[in-house]
Amino acid sequence: AGVCGVLSVSSQRSALAGVRVYGHGEHDLRQLAAGRMLHPRGMPLRRGVGEVLSVATSDTYRVAGVAWSIAQQAATMGALLFASTALLLISVPLGVAVLVGAALVLWGMQALARPLERLGMIEQASVAGASEVATDAMAGLRIIRGLGAEDEVTRRYRRASAASLEGAVATARKLVTYDAVSQAVAVAYLGALAFAAARLAAQGTITVGPLVTVVALAQFL
């Protein structure tokens, strides 16, 4: 319990640091994006108002999330190394199993995440397209009414909005599948580790105290 408490506190502190870096990073990215857009020679290609808005909001939000991910992964690696060291001191086979199993789990989940990354990029592009159509329509509303082109603009926005919706739904479905697979893999991995520790305890290789420690560390991992 004490070991898991120390690891939990360390992870929470790393998460708080990530939140601070994330907040400042998102603000700085928005300032940089605005400065680049407003600079006379800031962009080689002209961007629509909607696309600029999407970049300055949704895109900066996702890019700044890298800071959160780095802090979270650093805390995860620190906890993994600490727990693996403790398990190695209890039982070398258990410690090796944790390291090898963690490497296999990370490799497998990374392979599953690649389609999700591609869908995320498609979703961002479709959101920017829908936002651009909407802002262009609002900027030229008087001209659109004068030409009687309301129906055509409505059709264009509906197509762009439908594409954005399809991208968001596809990404959400893939994310739910990824989370479900991640949870299943984690349960199987930790169950196998706890079973191996119980076998060692039954054989007298480790005592009840180390068994409880192994199970606690397994749950934390």
Side-chain angles (χ1 to χ4, degrees):
V3 172
C4 291
V6 171
L7 293 175
S8 298
V9 171
S10 177
S11 298
Q12 290 173 1
R13 289 178 178 176
S14 298
L16 290 175
V19 169
R20 287 195 296 269
V21 174
Y22 167 77
H24 289 292
E26 184 179 6
H27 176 72
D28 291 342
L29 283 173
R30 286 177 178 173
Q31 295 294 323
L32 289 172
R36 184 71 180 272
M37 299 298 179
L38 295 175
H39 196 277
R41 292 179 295 179
M43 296 295 296
L45 299 175
R46 183 182 177 276
R47 302 289 181 178
V49 178
E51 187 176 359
V52 172
L53 178 62
S54 178
V55 170
T57 53
S58 181
D59 286 6
T60 55
Y61 167 81
R62 294 201 174 195
V63 173
V66 174
W68 174 273
S69 178
I70 291 174
Q72 190 176 41
Q73 296 305 319
T76 300
M77 292 303 298
L80 179 62
L81 291 175
F82 188 90
S84 299
T85 302
L87 291 173
L88 284 171
L89 294 175
I90 296 173
S91 173
V92 174
L94 283 178
V96 172
V98 169
L99 293 175
V100 173
L104 292 175
V105 168
L106 289 174
W107 177 80
M109 298 313 297
Q110 183 182 10
L112 290 175
R114 289 171 185 169
L116 186 61
E117 294 175 359
R118 291 194 294 268
L119 287 174
M121 294 178 65
I122 296 173
E123 179 191 0
Q124 288 297 101
S126 61
V127 168
S131 180
E132 183 176 2
V133 172
T135 52
D136 288 347
M138 295 302 296
L141 189 59
R142 292 184 179 180
I143 298 175
I144 293 172
R145 287 180 175 175
L147 296 175
E150 294 94 334
D151 293 339
E152 177 62 23
V153 173
T154 300
R155 283 194 295 270
R156 290 185 179 183
Y157 179 73
R158 283 179 177 173
R159 286 197 298 267
S161 180
S164 177
L165 176 61
E166 290 177 1
V169 170
T171 303
R173 287 177 176 172
K174 196 69 176 181
L175 182 59
V176 169
T177 303
Y178 179 85
D179 288 339
V181 174
S182 177
Q183 293 293 331
V185 171
V187 169
Y189 170 57
L190 301 180
L193 182 61
F195 178 76
R199 285 287 302 273
L200 292 177
Q203 294 172 1
T205 306
I206 61 176
T207 60
V208 177
L211 172 62
V212 174
T213 303
V214 168
V215 173
L217 288 174
Q219 291 176 347
F220 179 80
L221 290 174

